[in-house]
Amino acid sequence: MMADRQETAPRILLVEDDCETAAYIKASPMFAHMEIKAVANGNQGCDLALDEQWDCIILDRRLPGVDGLTILTTMRAVNVQTPVLFLTTMDGISDRVIGLKSGCDDYLVKPFSMAELSARLDAILRRINSRNQETSLPLQLHFLLSSESMGNHD
């Protein structure tokens, strides 16, 4: 199913309660090739994160309803491995460390540069696309590649 996704626009869930920030991201030409669904509260964001398939989730930490850290830990507890990029004003080192140790894939502090957000999102999407291509290789090729990396040359 993920192989089909490579040919379609990446699906991004944006959970952001600041309507101006969400509109700014959605309107950016840097994201014109993506399908972005924006929601403004944690309860709806959590439901969508758990119930639908996304290529990446951009998640604020401070949200009405369920906070972003709880959404992330809930996702990871039920083995939802969708990449998460925190986009938040919580800029302390301990905030970033807690976010990363809780399972987020990247952490960007507001105010942010749209170019940096775009670059970080592109990096996440490149990683998931390379993983998807690797898992779609024939089993024999996986075996051959793993044998070569282990130094088992004939």
Side-chain angles (χ1 to χ4, degrees):
M1 183 161 172
M2 289 298 274
D4 296 339
R5 193 173 298 286
Q6 292 173 0
E7 302 194 12
T8 62
R11 292 189 74 226
I12 309 299
L13 175 61
L14 172 61
V15 188
E16 171 61 63
D17 64 324
D18 180 12
C19 296
E20 288 181 23
T21 299
Y24 177 59
I25 292 169
K26 285 187 73 168
S28 172
M30 293 181 183
F31 303 113
H33 65 289
M34 298 180 185
E35 177 189 328
I36 299 177
K37 165 90 174 166
V39 296
N41 74 64
N43 295 322
Q44 189 177 11
C46 190
D47 289 344
L48 288 168
L50 296 174
D51 295 340
E52 293 191 28
Q53 189 169 3
W54 305 96
D55 293 300
C56 186
I57 298 172
I58 301 172
L59 186 57
D60 193 357
R61 291 266 317 253
R62 293 183 175 138
L63 295 163
V66 179
D67 69 276
L69 191 60
T70 300
I71 294 171
L72 175 65
T73 56
T74 301
M75 289 171 57
R76 298 307 186 236
V78 297
N79 204 30
V80 173
Q81 296 302 314
T82 305
V84 171
L85 185 155
F86 270 130
L87 180 63
T88 180
T89 58
M90 296 180 71
D91 62 351
I93 291 173
S94 63
D95 296 320
R96 289 178 276 174
V97 169
I98 288 168
L100 291 163
K101 286 188 176 263
S102 296
C104 82
D105 297 86
D106 205 348
Y107 200 105
L108 184 59
V109 175
K110 298 174 188 173
F112 62 97
S113 154
M114 191 62 74
E116 183 177 8
L117 175 60
S118 176
R120 289 173 181 262
L121 191 53
D122 286 346
I124 288 171
L125 294 173
R126 272 195 314 273
R127 282 195 306 270
I128 65 167
N129 283 334
S130 74
R131 270 189 239 136
N132 292 340
Q133 289 171 358
E134 183 178 301
T135 58
S136 67
L137 292 173
L139 184 58
Q140 296 87 349
L141 187 53
H142 274 293
F143 178 75
L144 178 64
L145 292 174
S146 63
S147 294
E148 287 179 9
S149 67
M150 296 172 135
N152 296 338
H153 300 285
D154 289 40

